[in-house]
Amino acid sequence: MWLEELRRRERGELRARRFEALARSRRAASLALSNRKEIATPHHGAVNSLQVDLTEGRYLLSGASDGSAAVFDLKNATEYEAGFIAKHRSILLVDRQHEHGHKFVVSAAIWYPVDTGLFVTASFDTYVKVWDTNSTQVVMDFKMPGKVYSAAMSPIATTHMLIATGSADVQVRLCDIASGAFTHTLSGHHDGIMSLEWSTSSEWILMSGGCDGAIRFWDIRRAGCFLVLDQLRSQQGRRPPFLDSAMEKQDQKNLTSSPSSKSNSVHQRTGSRKKHSKALHKSQTLIRGHTQQRVHPGMSSSQNRTTAHYGAVTGLKTTTDGMHLLSSGSDSRLRIWDIDSGCNTLVNFEAMRLHPRKPLQLAVTDDPSLVFVPCMGSIKAYNMWSGTTFQTFRGHYDHVNCCYYNSQDQELYTGSNDRQILVWSPATPALTEMEDDDKRQEGFAADEDNWSD
Amino acid sequence: MGDVSDPLGCPTDNGQIGIVDPEFRLIGLHLYDGLFKVIPFDNKELLTEAFDIRLEELQVLDIKFLYGCVKPTIVVLYQDNRDARHVKTYEVALKDKDFVEGPWSENNLDNGAGLLLPVLAPLGGVIIVGEETIVYCNGNSTLKAVPIKQSIIRAYGRVDPDGPRYLLGDNTGTLHLLVLTQEGERVTGLKIEHLGETSIASSISYLHNGVVYVGSRFGDSQLVKLNLLPDATGSFVEVLERYANLGPIVDFCVVDLDRQGQGQVVTCSGAFKDGSVRVVRNCIGINEQASVALQGISGLWSLKSSFSDPYDMYLVVSFISETRFMAMNMEDVLEETEIEGFDAQTQTLFCQNGISDLLIQITANSVRLVSCTSRELVDQWNAPEGFSVNVASANASQVLLATGSGHVIYLEIRDAKLVEVKHAQLEHDVSCVDLNPVGENPQYSSLAAIGLWTGISVSTYSLPDLELIRKENLGGEIVPRSVLLCTLEGVSYLLCALGDGHLFSFLLNASTGELTDRKKVSLGTQPITLRTFSSMGTTHVFASSDKPTVIYSSNKKLLYSNVNLKGVNHMCPFSTAAFPDSLAIAKQSEFSIGTMGDIRNKKLRTIPLNEQPKRICHQEQSRTLAVSSFKYNLDSKEENEAHFIRLLDHQTFEFLFTHPLDQHECGCSMISCSFSDDNKFYYCVGTSYVLPDEYEPAKGRILVFAVEDGRLQLIVEKETKGAVYSLNAFNGKLLAAINQKVQLYKWMTREDGLHELQSECSHRGHVLALCTQTRGDFIVVGDLMKSISLLVYKHEESAIEELARDYNANWMTAVEMIDDDIYLGAENSYNLFTVRKSSDPARDGVRGRLEVVGEYHLGEYVSRFCHGSLVMHHPDSEMGQILTVIFSTTNGVIGIIASLPHDQYVFLEKLQATLVKFIKGVGGLSHEQWRSFHNGKKTLDARNFLDGDLIESFLDLNRGKMEEVAEAMAVQVEELLQRVEELTRLH
């Protein structure tokens, strides 16, 4: 009940922040196919990637299988259908007709995080291109060794302008917009890289999910990956009871010299906690870096074969607070990882069927309470902590590839093989009734019926 | 000093927790979900580098340190994914920078458990306070529980420094005592005892000797005494003192009851049972120092013991048939005395110290001169046979008398003798006279002011020849009852007060007697008596009436300020050596002596409601206030609320009428307005039906009431499809914000003479149109989460269209239009911002953008904006041109936002920037950082807003600092002082 909460906020019983969080989560919980907003896609192929710009939260960028990428203004509709259904047409389109357009599938289209002046597209034609939004010209391109599956830029980077790219090749490559060259190649995966995600708490940390089932954590300031997630390692017993802890420490001392996975994990646990305290923990990080190198120089140890999923890792998504990582795999599993410790949280998500061979773009609400997962032809929303299905969104006619949750407006955008981008917005139950006094009711109701199911 | 903020963290839902280890080993902070920040103390008790520990419990309700533990141990109360609540303990391993699983944990507690009370050593352990039970637990023995009446305990206080007694305050304002019964070092049980009622406690501090301070967010804070024995009602609590708290102010209106141009803020304050309506006004406080019951005083004068004495000695108190004299004796005690030469058997009309150490007494039939030293009669003038003196006035050397039939007699004191200088007959009877010297000679006036009974006029006459200089007809039928010539700040005025509480003021040319610049204000409803007095070296005028007022001059402008007294009949200054600047005040049945407080001060009046007011609105035409309020019904099993619309008298605040709303219906908005083609004024109330299982209200009503014979008469009722969040009068129509849309209603008169509201047009597309304001054809809408948008009503098409909007994602709490182009908004993260309508009209089909021009962090949740002012403005004064907006906040703050002219802004901005270097904030926090617009997503420097409090703190600096500031500013100290003082006059 809005009213009650407004009233509680007014008298200071409900903290303003909390009110906001409540309102957001309530609206997120009421998402339904929007009867107010439509996005008219100019794409002639499956929509593979969706992202809203991070600065204004206003422009939606989409990438599609016909090699095109488009931008939509979410705040200003191009026209109104029947007077009140806002239609958003693309305000910018780069497709195969464009002189520098991609030849094949655009697998990822991402905004430059700092402003809307640039965006990046990655394509199966092995190119990653950086576009100037205003002139719609390619300002830079990077040739990859294979089909590019994913591209990612750090949303919090202040000292680098790197595009992380994952392709059919086993290496993650970092392309530097500032210099126009590759700065890093991160080796470790045994197969192509389907998904990439930068950490939201440290601009140096990159996470990659490969077709080999591994999720690797990279600190781009030093060589090698520092963590490989293990689906079998859970949080149980992470904090031993007081009496046992002394013994544990004894164990550790004995084990530090031997490069066993056990001691390694202990080091990681203490070390990776530095992310929230920036400078003061640098020294600690460095020390850890050394031990890391010694303990785990090449990827030859047993950890090298550790997997996060059986089969390929198809999607990665960190929560906004940077504490948890979500991953989806071709084993039709969704896992939540505690980034700090690298443990599998063992949240058991209800049965789902995921597309096994395509990168999936997952979405999480801000709080984080809900996870949106493209499950073949529908999108499922799961309760993040219990793993139960919260809602199933049906509306697409074909496989869904990507979801993007706009936390500013609490809207979900989904792109599918049916070439549509659908908008799911918080339902307004009173709305339908409110229409009564206008005569637009009929046409509008008909519309709604068309969409559901 | 360090910064513990984390831009990425997700701020905790249940508030920040900061705790200190009882053995001072570390400080623990829970600021963000999943993180516990530790700031350890080193051996020198200094803070060392902080670090974070991961807390796996996400929904933490409370964390406390346990007493008597070898290692620092915290106990965490948390809720899991299935909404069950548990406690868990952790030891903080400072070396490992991690937690170690603690000695015990307890699962599945009371579902309402929300508070932890750590128990001191040697008992140790923790008391877990739930909604239905209170549990003691310490891990090594069984739980001890005690059931309580369902309530939410919000606050606790430990009674003994070491013992097992705790005070608990719940959400209904009940105070409980919790006692741990113990056997040695073992707790054997819990006992709870009901003590009594206080304000709804937010914090409880046991002070000493049974005295407890109860701090409250919802009502007045209190100092209470816990008695050993219950009183008649069974309560152990005795309230010793109350400390006013206006918060939370959910709504207010600015009313100008006296039409003086000085607003009073009437607020909806408090919550739950502590709800009240409060009246805040600028008025002068008089501290009564002594008072006696004394009835029938008809006049008061003070006399000095000699003409040159700076202090007063005698006090002359006149009654209808006698006059009594009092004097300060050597012990500074006022006692009755006699002045032999004075006539004590009749009523005194006037008394005055005259030149050559004389005392003048004027009675109905004589004027007496008495020597100050011998107190004996020196000279006497008797009224002619058949005439008696009706009104009289005198100064040090002149006496002016008026007898019946318009006879006026002018006497002068020459060589201690009364000499009749002039006798004149005016056309009507005289109602009041004054010859207070306003010219250069303080002992001799060349002007007299005379008011007449018939003809209703006030005139100035020249002295000694009693020639008419200027006559001002006052109009109306009310007789002038008091006239006064005075000089305030070097400007001479003639003030003339009428029998109905109105006051005329004229600028007086002291040499020619010309009157100019006539103004009329209302000070009360009863006859006024004017008297000058001086306080702190400056002269002011006191207007005694049912609403006593002090008239003072500031910057050569007359200002009026109310006094916190009621019904003063007479007043005279009585400044003695022991009590300088005192005033003697005669009320209906009381005589008192007091001192005047600071001329600028806010006074507060509380009208307790015992229920929570939600909206308030004033209707001048019917002289009423309407309040929408509600009451929690705690008696019945189900928790329900009853909502009312109550009508109050705007002067007495008496309840006149109550209109109950339907079940589940709650009042959301209220205005007073009139409609086109109908000159009556109505109260319009917007309501909503709140059903427990409804996510968003789907039904509401607009109720239109007329006030008839002190009753609310329901004229029109219109059902709406949602909650009516806001109502505005708009072009003679009614604009309502209903859920997602803004709807305009026309006022229609049907054939049968009844009225109805007919919907005309609407505009949709808001998430929730929470607040609306209108000006001309423009409407600004403050959306729940989509900032401000500007709509325009098009008359020809009878449609509302969106012109422009602010694309930021501001969660609005209040909005106001400062002028046609600038709109002010308050948002959820306690920031203020202004947006400007762009000058070029929106291009066809493309919506414009409202440009954000100002941003500022206020640090307060603004519940409402309203145009108005708490000080009296005169339209001609420079400050009168400055628009001010009053705002109220949840913390009980009332503040003023003034829109300053550009050059003044530039000057004050420079001053602010300079002052920041001289005035350090509490804890050395940066002013700039604090005032930056911050909403969790972004931080922007404050711009186009100034911090008036900071600038005015310039006045508190010592002279040396002021000079330094002035030097840094490269201006004179005097100029700075003047400009800052100018600013203070805005509030």
Side-chain angles (χ1 to χ4, degrees):
Chain A
M1 293 174 306
W2 280 118
L3 218 81
E4 181 57 29
E5 266 132 31
L6 282 169
R7 217 159 56 175
R8 287 178 55 210
R9 175 175 77 161
E10 221 172 39
R11 64 172 173 242
E13 235 186 319
L14 189 64
R15 264 174 297 273
R17 277 275 171 78
R18 177 86 188 111
F19 171 85
E20 216 176 295
L22 262 176
R24 278 182 204 280
S25 64
R26 181 148 304 164
R27 278 169 62 82
S30 73
L31 288 179
L33 190 62
S34 175
N35 42 34
R36 297 257 131 184
K37 207 169 191 174
E38 275 178 19
I39 292 178
T41 56
H43 300 304
H44 300 293
V47 180
N48 293 325
S49 161
L50 288 171
Q51 193 194 18
V52 178
D53 74 290
L54 303 174
T55 40
E56 281 180 274
R58 180 169 171 182
Y59 300 104
L60 176 71
L61 176 66
S62 64
S65 293
D66 63 347
S68 62
V71 176
F72 307 88
D73 183 347
L74 294 170
K75 295 265 167 91
N76 270 339
T78 17
E79 63 193 67
Y80 285 87
E81 202 171 89
F84 65 96
I85 299 174
K87 258 213 144 88
H88 298 260
R89 294 193 187 285
S90 62
I91 53 170
L92 182 153
L93 176 69
V94 284
D95 54 12
R96 251 179 285 189
Q97 270 74 50
H98 191 280
E99 49 177 332
H100 302 297
H102 285 291
K103 291 199 180 59
F104 307 127
V105 176
V106 170
S107 52
I110 53 169
W111 283 106
Y112 177 54
V114 181
D115 59 49
T116 50
L118 292 177
F119 65 90
V120 179
T121 53
S123 166
F124 282 8
D125 66 3
T126 73
Y127 278 98
V128 170
K129 294 186 178 177
V130 181
W131 300 80
D132 180 314
T133 319
N134 295 315
S135 64
T136 58
Q137 292 299 316
V138 173
V139 288
M140 204 175 282
D141 59 7
F142 299 92
K143 171 95 171 78
M144 294 292 151
K147 286 180 183 176
V148 189
Y149 290 126
S150 70
M153 292 191 81
S154 169
I156 54 160
T158 51
T159 55
H160 67 76
M161 293 167 75
L162 297 174
I163 310 166
T165 57
S167 62
D169 185 46
V170 295
Q171 287 171 329
V172 176
R173 280 163 202 265
L174 301 188
C175 318
D176 188 1
I177 299 183
S179 66
F182 297 113
T183 54
H184 299 62
T185 47
L186 308 173
S187 320
H189 285 288
H190 303 293
D191 204 343
I193 290 125
M194 282 252 205
S195 53
L196 286 166
E197 183 83 353
W198 286 90
S199 158
T200 47
S201 50
S202 163
E203 59 175 301
W204 313 110
I205 309 291
L206 177 69
M207 291 159 271
S208 61
C211 296
D212 55 355
I215 299 174
R216 288 175 182 267
F217 282 46
W218 313 86
D219 183 330
I220 60 164
R221 290 168 297 185
R222 47 189 66 85
C225 102
F226 70 84
L227 180 62
V228 185
L229 296 184
D230 181 354
Q231 53 181 321
L232 300 175
R233 198 158 73 86
S234 75
Q235 234 156 342
Q236 301 286 309
R238 189 163 96 74
R239 276 184 187 135
F242 170 59
L243 290 172
D244 310 340
S245 67
M247 255 163 53
E248 172 88 4
K249 242 177 254 164
Q250 208 61 42
D251 284 352
Q252 274 176 33
K253 256 181 218 153
N254 299 338
L255 287 168
T256 26
S257 47
S258 69
S260 103
S261 64
K262 168 84 171 157
S263 87
N264 183 43
S265 68
V266 170
H267 278 289
Q268 263 145 24
R269 189 203 310 155
T270 39
S272 52
R273 193 163 300 116
K274 53 98 229 201
K275 73 194 167 54
H276 281 282
S277 39
K278 281 115 236 156
L280 49 150
H281 280 211
K282 255 185 195 139
S283 54
Q284 196 196 338
T285 320
L286 283 173
I287 295 161
R288 179 183 53 81
H290 279 295
T291 23
Q292 201 84 68
Q293 296 272 302
R294 250 186 291 125
V295 168
H296 197 254
M299 288 291 139
S300 54
S301 80
S302 61
Q303 243 198 355
N304 203 12
R305 294 288 170 190
T306 342
T307 55
H309 285 274
Y310 299 112
V313 176
T314 49
L316 288 178
K317 180 78 194 166
T318 56
T319 57
T320 331
D321 55 10
M323 298 215 279
H324 294 96
L325 176 72
L326 278 153
S327 66
S328 65
S330 55
D331 53 357
S332 280
R333 286 282 177 189
L334 196 62
R335 296 193 206 284
I336 302 183
W337 306 85
D338 185 283
I339 292 183
D340 198 20
S341 62
C343 292
N344 183 354
T345 57
L346 292 182
V347 175
N348 181 26
F349 286 92
E350 282 175 6
M352 63 180 87
R353 238 185 103 213
L354 301 179
H355 198 290
R357 284 178 305 278
K358 250 193 141 170
L360 297 177
Q361 193 184 328
L362 315 173
V364 191
T365 57
D366 255 356
D367 11 358
S369 60
L370 290 179
V371 193
F372 301 100
V373 187
C375 294
M376 309 310 276
S378 64
I379 303 102
K380 280 193 171 179
Y382 289 96
N383 286 315
M384 177 104 168
W385 303 115
S386 64
T388 49
T389 311
F390 179 76
Q391 205 182 344
T392 306
F393 299 101
R394 294 200 174 84
H396 283 292
Y397 295 128
D398 206 341
H399 289 180
V400 182
N401 298 318
C402 50
C403 318
Y404 186 87
Y405 183 71
N406 180 353
S407 62
Q408 187 175 316
D409 296 333
Q410 294 88 43
E411 281 178 332
L412 179 72
Y413 311 113
T414 56
S416 144
N417 283 353
D418 65 4
R419 307 191 302 243
Q420 296 298 326
I421 299 172
L422 295 186
V423 182
W424 310 82
S425 57
T428 48
L431 189 77
T432 29
E433 288 174 57
M434 271 168 55
E435 302 298 333
D436 281 354
D437 34 35
D438 301 354
K439 279 136 214 147
R440 295 165 189 150
Q441 170 64 14
E442 284 86 303
F444 161 67
D447 264 6
E448 194 185 43
D449 285 344
N450 282 347
W451 283 121
S452 46
D453 293 325
Chain B
M1 203 162 102
D3 191 350
V4 292
S5 66
D6 180 348
L8 286 162
C10 173
T12 50
D13 283 351
N14 298 301
Q16 302 183 333
I17 297 170
I19 45 174
V20 182
D21 172 47
E23 323 240 319
F24 302 106
R25 289 167 291 202
L26 60 111
I27 296 174
L29 300 169
H30 181 58
L31 310 176
Y32 302 100
D33 277 342
L35 293 173
F36 185 76
K37 192 174 277 291
V38 173
I39 310 174
F41 288 99
D42 63 9
N43 358 343
K44 292 183 209 89
E45 307 237 311
L46 293 170
L47 293 177
T48 56
E49 225 165 68
F51 58 89
D52 280 311
I53 300 180
R54 264 305 275 280
L55 197 60
E56 273 144 38
E57 292 70 36
L58 289 175
Q59 283 204 65
V60 172
L61 298 162
D62 202 359
I63 303 183
K64 290 280 158 65
F65 274 106
L66 284 177
Y67 286 90
C69 292
V70 186
K71 293 220 174 131
T73 306
I74 57 166
V75 49
V76 182
L77 174 66
Y78 66 99
Q79 183 172 322
D80 69 9
N81 295 326
R82 290 172 198 81
D83 290 351
R85 298 190 176 183
H86 320 282
V87 285
K88 204 169 183 181
T89 54
Y90 285 116
E91 282 183 4
V92 182
L94 286 173
K95 273 214 186 98
D96 295 349
K97 302 193 173 177
D98 202 351
F99 283 140
V100 175
E101 204 93 357
W104 53 271
S105 63
E106 204 62 58
N107 288 344
N108 297 320
L109 303 160
D110 181 351
N111 258 345
L115 194 63
L116 294 174
L117 275 68
V119 179
L120 295 171
L123 294 174
V126 71
I127 300 167
I128 304 156
V129 182
E131 279 175 20
E132 281 160 350
T133 49
I134 296 179
V135 180
Y136 171 79
C137 105
N138 70 353
N140 49 29
S141 63
T142 49
L143 300 182
K144 302 284 182 296
V146 60
I148 53 170
K149 200 181 136 201
Q150 178 160 20
S151 59
I152 302 165
I153 306 283
R154 292 179 193 271
Y156 78 94
R158 185 176 292 126
V159 176
D160 328 81
D162 54 343
R165 290 185 295 167
Y166 294 87
L167 287 169
L168 304 176
D170 71 10
N171 61 336
T172 60
T174 313
L175 196 65
H176 305 272
L177 182 70
L178 177 73
V179 185
L180 292 180
T181 52
Q182 48 182 325
E183 224 170 67
E185 292 192 357
R186 261 187 62 232
V187 175
T188 53
L190 294 165
K191 256 191 348 198
I192 189 142
E193 205 166 329
H194 171 103
L195 290 183
E197 195 183 318
T198 64
S199 292
I200 298 168
S202 306
S203 79
I204 298 175
S205 301
Y206 184 88
L207 301 173
H208 184 55
N209 242 350
V211 178
V212 180
Y213 182 81
V214 177
S216 175
R217 277 190 300 151
F218 297 123
D220 288 346
S221 295
Q222 293 174 324
L223 193 68
V224 300
K225 185 161 172 51
L226 304 178
N227 294 323
L228 289 172
L229 296 168
D231 63 6
T233 59
S235 167
F236 293 88
V237 175
E238 180 192 339
V239 177
L240 298 179
E241 213 164 325
R242 303 180 78 92
Y243 306 92
N245 165 28
L246 260 60
I249 305 175
V250 294
D251 191 18
F252 74 96
C253 60
V254 181
V255 300
D256 179 11
L257 294 181
D258 315 318
R259 289 180 224 172
Q260 295 166 352
Q262 172 173 11
Q264 306 183 4
V265 166
V266 185
T267 66
C268 289
S269 288
F272 308 107
K273 72 167 182 87
D274 294 331
S276 60
V277 167
R278 304 208 179 202
V279 188
V280 183
R281 63 201 314 203
N282 246 339
C283 77
I284 296 171
I286 289 186
N287 306 318
E288 291 194 8
Q289 277 159 348
S291 73
V292 286
L294 204 56
Q295 225 157 6
I297 296 174
S298 66
L300 268 182
W301 295 270
S302 56
L303 295 173
K304 297 169 189 168
S305 59
S306 73
F307 190 71
S308 54
D309 196 331
Y311 294 111
D312 294 320
M313 169 87 175
Y314 304 106
L315 194 61
V316 180
V317 185
S318 165
F319 298 87
I320 296 295
S321 58
E322 59 165 342
T323 303
R324 282 150 82 171
F325 309 98
M326 303 209 242
M328 279 307 239
N329 65 12
M330 301 309 278
E331 282 92 47
D332 290 326
V333 173
L334 198 62
E335 57 178 17
E336 192 142 1
T337 181
E338 271 180 31
I339 301 175
E340 291 80 3
F342 273 7
D343 184 355
Q345 308 309 315
T346 54
Q347 181 185 3
T348 300
L349 295 176
F350 202 88
C351 266
Q352 170 77 33
N353 274 87
I355 47 170
S356 30
D357 283 353
L358 292 169
L359 304 175
I360 309 166
Q361 184 198 22
I362 306 170
T363 61
N365 41 38
S366 67
V367 180
R368 287 156 175 264
L369 290 185
V370 172
S371 158
C372 283
T373 41
S374 65
R375 296 186 182 186
E376 276 166 7
L377 188 65
V378 174
D379 192 24
Q380 183 171 8
W381 173 93
N382 287 313
E385 276 297 307
F387 289 100
S388 67
V389 179
N390 294 336
V391 285
S393 183
N395 59 35
S397 62
Q398 296 163 296
V399 177
L400 191 63
L401 310 166
T403 58
S405 324
H407 289 282
V408 177
I409 299 154
Y410 171 62
L411 311 171
E412 279 187 14
I413 301 169
R414 294 181 188 161
D415 307 326
K417 290 270 181 281
L418 283 164
V419 181
E420 187 173 326
V421 177
K422 182 82 184 174
H423 177 218
Q425 186 171 10
L426 310 181
E427 66 265 49
H428 300 294
D429 264 346
V430 174
S431 63
C432 50
V433 297
D434 188 64
L435 36 67
N436 196 18
V438 290
E440 280 155 19
N441 188 342
Q443 290 156 27
Y444 185 88
S445 171
S446 57
L447 284 174
I450 297 177
L452 298 181
W453 273 103
T454 324
I456 317 294
S457 66
V458 63
S459 326
T460 49
Y461 286 84
S462 67
L463 291 177
D465 42 6
L466 277 179
E467 291 287 334
L468 181 69
I469 298 174
R470 176 74 185 260
K471 179 172 168 180
E472 277 284 337
N473 278 311
L474 301 178
E477 293 170 351
I478 312 295
V479 182
R481 296 294 284 269
S482 181
V483 66
L484 184 74
L485 298 163
C486 60
T487 306
L488 304 174
E489 280 197 328
V491 181
S492 297
Y493 297 94
L494 180 122
L495 303 176
C496 177
L498 307 188
D500 64 350
H502 280 93
L503 178 87
F504 283 92
S505 69
F506 301 92
L507 269 184
L508 174 72
N509 185 325
S511 46
T512 65
E514 283 298 314
L515 299 177
T516 48
D517 203 17
R518 162 178 168 153
K519 277 179 199 147
K520 182 182 179 183
V521 290
S522 157
L523 301 183
T525 55
Q526 299 295 314
I528 297 174
T529 318
L530 298 167
R531 198 64 86 83
T532 57
F533 70 99
S534 73
S535 162
M536 286 171 240
T538 34
T539 305
H540 309 298
V541 175
F542 191 96
S544 318
S545 73
D546 59 332
K547 279 198 172 172
T549 305
V550 169
I551 303 162
Y552 62 100
S553 172
S554 174
N555 236 8
K556 309 212 166 177
K557 298 276 184 273
L558 280 191
L559 297 173
Y560 303 82
S561 191
N562 297 99
V563 179
N564 65 338
L565 292 176
K566 273 186 152 179
V568 172
N569 293 339
H570 298 279
M571 190 288 300
C572 82
F574 188 59
S575 174
T576 58
F579 305 107
D581 281 351
S582 293
L583 303 174
I585 293 158
K587 293 194 224 167
Q588 188 64 37
S589 56
E590 193 182 81
F591 169 75
S592 57
I593 291 191
T595 51
M596 177 140 305
D598 188 6
I599 292 273
R600 336 186 119 263
N601 201 351
K602 313 271 187 294
K603 277 287 169 276
L604 184 70
R605 179 173 167 195
T606 305
I607 299 102
L609 293 180
N610 297 323
E611 59 186 22
Q612 189 178 333
K614 191 167 153 43
R615 294 285 175 261
I616 191 164
C617 176
H618 178 234
Q619 194 172 69
E620 201 179 346
Q621 292 73 17
S622 64
R623 309 173 66 80
T624 54
L625 285 161
V627 175
S628 148
S629 64
F630 67 93
K631 208 172 198 147
Y632 278 100
N633 227 336
L634 289 162
D635 305 329
S636 60
K637 284 261 151 47
E638 279 173 62
E639 197 177 305
N640 61 2
E641 298 170 4
H643 291 257
F644 310 97
I645 307 295
R646 297 194 189 269
L647 191 68
L648 277 74
D649 185 283
H650 78 166
Q651 294 271 11
T652 62
F653 295 95
E654 270 174 85
F655 281 109
L656 300 176
F657 186 74
T658 299
H659 177 92
L661 293 176
D662 291 353
Q663 203 189 353
H664 299 303
E665 190 182 18
C666 111
C668 296
S669 51
M670 182 152 58
I671 56 157
S672 157
C673 69
S674 68
F675 298 103
S676 42
D677 309 324
D678 190 350
N679 52 12
K680 272 213 283 205
F681 273 78
Y682 298 96
Y683 278 119
C684 303
V685 180
T687 72
S688 148
Y689 287 88
V690 185
L691 303 175
D693 52 345
E694 217 171 40
Y695 162 70
E696 188 162 22
K699 191 180 155 200
R701 287 197 294 172
I702 296 175
L703 306 170
V704 182
F705 294 101
V707 178
E708 282 165 17
D709 310 326
R711 296 169 63 82
L712 286 171
Q713 205 73 44
L714 184 61
I715 305 288
V716 171
E717 177 186 345
K718 173 88 184 169
E719 202 164 290
T720 60
K721 299 274 163 55
V724 185
Y725 287 106
S726 172
L727 284 173
N728 284 94
F730 187 67
N731 284 313
K733 293 164 185 166
L734 186 65
L735 187 79
I738 304 165
N739 285 11
Q740 287 82 13
K741 68 173 176 179
V742 175
Q743 173 98 37
L744 188 63
Y745 290 99
K746 274 189 293 204
W747 183 245
M748 302 293 286
T749 311
R750 285 204 308 242
E751 279 165 15
D752 54 3
L754 294 174
H755 300 285
E756 67 174 356
L757 284 172
Q758 210 173 69
S759 73
E760 182 179 330
C761 57
S762 67
H763 180 269
R764 286 169 226 283
H766 307 280
V767 173
L768 212 78
L770 212 53
C771 34
T772 52
Q773 291 291 340
T774 59
R775 198 180 168 100
D777 289 338
F778 294 101
I779 307 162
V780 290
V781 181
D783 191 281
L784 175 75
M785 47 185 286
K786 285 191 167 175
S787 199
I788 296 178
S789 51
L790 175 69
L791 312 179
V792 67
Y793 172 66
K794 299 206 163 153
H795 288 269
E796 308 84 47
E797 301 151 42
S798 139
I800 299 175
E801 282 175 18
E802 181 171 316
L803 266 191
R805 64 164 41 201
D806 171 27
Y807 287 106
N808 290 303
N810 289 324
W811 290 58
M812 304 302 295
T813 66
V815 69
E816 181 61 274
M817 298 172 100
I818 291 185
D819 56 31
D820 284 336
D821 299 324
I822 307 277
Y823 316 127
L824 175 67
E827 63 89 89
N828 204 33
S829 303
Y830 312 138
N831 299 303
L832 294 177
F833 66 98
T834 48
V835 292
R836 184 168 55 198
K837 185 174 85 178
S838 61
S839 42
D840 60 307
R843 282 166 292 149
D844 245 12
V846 178
R847 289 188 300 194
R849 179 193 280 260
L850 287 174
E851 183 196 356
V852 178
V853 287
E855 281 155 322
Y856 184 72
H857 184 74
L858 183 68
E860 296 272 350
Y861 176 94
V862 175
S863 53
R864 193 134 185 95
F865 287 119
C866 194
H867 279 285
S869 165
L870 276 171
V871 287
M872 204 173 286
H873 286 311
H874 291 279
D876 53 331
S877 73
E878 206 179 297
M879 281 292 164
Q881 308 297 329
I882 291 179
L883 281 170
T884 54
V885 173
I886 302 179
F887 64 85
S888 66
T889 79
T890 295
N891 287 341
V893 172
I894 294 175
I896 305 255
I897 298 167
S899 155
L900 299 174
H902 182 72
D903 50 345
Q904 196 178 358
Y905 175 84
V906 171
F907 180 84
L908 292 174
E909 189 184 34
K910 195 173 156 200
L911 176 60
Q912 175 177 295
T914 315
L915 280 173
V916 168
K917 295 179 200 131
F918 288 90
I919 300 170
K920 289 280 166 265
V922 177
L925 298 176
S926 144
H927 179 265
E928 201 181 324
Q929 198 183 341
W930 163 241
R931 291 305 182 188
S932 304
F933 182 99
H934 179 75
N935 66 2
K937 292 238 156 33
K938 56 178 179 183
T939 304
L940 300 160
D941 282 348
R943 57 188 171 125
N944 287 331
F945 272 96
L946 292 176
D947 187 345
D949 288 334
L950 176 71
I951 291 173
E952 284 176 18
S953 61
F954 172 74
L955 300 175
D956 305 332
L957 295 177
N958 61 36
R959 187 74 192 185
K961 273 270 169 65
M962 278 190 191
E963 268 160 13
E964 281 178 49
V965 174
E967 203 178 313
M969 291 276 296
V971 286
Q972 294 292 313
V973 178
E974 274 65 37
E975 192 196 337
L976 266 185
L977 272 173
Q978 194 213 330
R979 297 192 75 159
V980 177
E981 270 167 11
E982 215 167 83
L983 195 70
T984 61
R985 275 193 284 276
L986 281 172
H987 59 84

